[in-house]
Amino acid sequence: TVSGNASSTSDEFDFVVKFWTDETKTTPVTQNLRYAYSTTPATDGFSAISYDETAGGYPITLRHGQMATFVSLTQGWAYEVWENDNALGYTLVSANPASGVMPEVSASASFHNVKNELTLVKKVTGLDEGDSVSPSVEITDKAGKTVFSGVLTPDKIETLSLIPGDYTLTESGCDMTGMGYDWTSATLSGLNAEIASKDGGKAAFTF
C-alpha cells in the first residue's frame, strides 16, 4: 500500500520472501515454489518461482494494491518478508521484515509506504532596499529529531518529504525585528507553508 500526496500507484517495490523448514530458521527452503500476482487472494494462475542465491530468497516486485500469493507451503515453516530499500523517497511505516511461522491455513504480510511532500516558501513583504534576510530554518518532529535544517532566503522554495505527524518549525539567525519586521504569519495550512517571522519565531504544525 502507498499513500501520501506525492505517492504514485505505479511505483514498484522490491521484496524478498524467505522460508525455512523449522522455526529456528536453520534450514532454508530453496526448491521451486508456486505463486501468483493478483489484487485479491489468488486461487489460480500460479507459476513457478525459483530461489535466488544472491537475494537469499524468492524476489518479487509489487505495486500499490498488488499481492503475491504462495501456495503449497508447509505448516511449521518459518518465513520472513523483506522490503528492499527504495530510491523513490518513500518512508516505510510497517515492520520490516514481517515474519512468523506458517499456520495450518494461511498467513499474510502487509507493507505501507508513505510519501508526502511539504513545500516551504519564505515570504517577506515590504523589504527595504539594502536589507537582507537569510534566516536559518529548522523543522523537528514530535520526538525532537531534526528533519530539516537550512537557510531559507526570500522566495527560495524547499520541498521536503515527511511522514504524517506533529512538527515544530523554528526560524533563527535573522533579527528581523531590529529591521522593523515582525512575525506576520505562520500559515502552514494544507501542504504549503508561507512563513514570515521574527528572530527565534516558532510555528507548530501537524502534517
Side-chain angles (χ1 to χ4, degrees):
T1 300
V2 299
S3 65
N5 71 302
S7 65
S8 171
T9 56
S10 63
D11 286 338
E12 295 185 335
F13 300 84
D14 296 324
F15 299 83
V16 176
V17 184
K18 303 180 180 183
F19 298 99
W20 292 265
T21 59
D22 56 300
E23 294 186 21
T24 58
K25 302 179 181 179
T26 303
T27 306
V29 174
T30 58
Q31 74 258 32
N32 285 356
L33 298 176
R34 294 183 62 77
Y35 82 119
Y37 285 122
S38 60
T39 55
T40 58
T43 57
D44 55 23
F46 296 98
S47 57
I49 182 171
S50 300
Y51 181 85
D52 187 302
E53 290 281 354
T54 302
Y58 301 86
I60 57 174
T61 300
L62 297 172
R63 295 191 300 271
H64 173 76
Q66 281 189 324
M67 62 180 66
T69 303
F70 286 77
V71 292
S72 301
L73 304 178
T74 301
Q75 182 182 356
W77 280 6
Y79 68 88
E80 286 184 358
V81 184
W82 287 85
E83 179 179 318
N84 296 336
D85 292 337
N86 71 81
L88 301 174
Y90 285 85
T91 298
L92 178 63
V93 295
S94 307
N96 192 30
S99 60
V101 176
M102 289 302 303
E104 183 177 355
V105 181
S106 64
S108 64
S110 61
F111 292 80
H112 184 190
N113 291 270
V114 177
K115 186 178 182 181
N116 280 310
E117 289 185 349
L118 172 70
T119 302
L120 298 178
V121 183
K122 176 67 180 181
K123 296 291 185 182
V124 178
T125 58
L127 188 64
D128 295 333
E129 184 177 354
D131 284 351
S132 176
V133 288
S134 299
S136 296
V137 174
E138 181 181 53
I139 297 178
T140 55
D141 62 15
K142 192 173 184 178
K145 179 182 177 182
T146 299
V147 297
F148 171 79
S149 180
V151 175
L152 198 63
T153 54
D155 297 320
K156 179 182 179 181
I157 298 174
E158 289 283 354
T159 301
L160 316 177
S161 294
L162 298 174
I163 62 173
D166 297 323
Y167 298 88
T168 297
L169 183 147
T170 303
E171 192 175 69
S172 60
C174 178
D175 189 0
M176 298 174 69
T177 305
M179 296 188 296
Y181 300 94
D182 205 343
W183 178 287
T184 57
S185 69
T187 303
L188 295 129
S189 59
L191 299 174
N192 294 305
E194 294 190 0
I195 306 146
S197 68
K198 62 183 179 181
D199 184 44
K202 290 188 177 183
F205 64 99
T206 299
F207 185 72

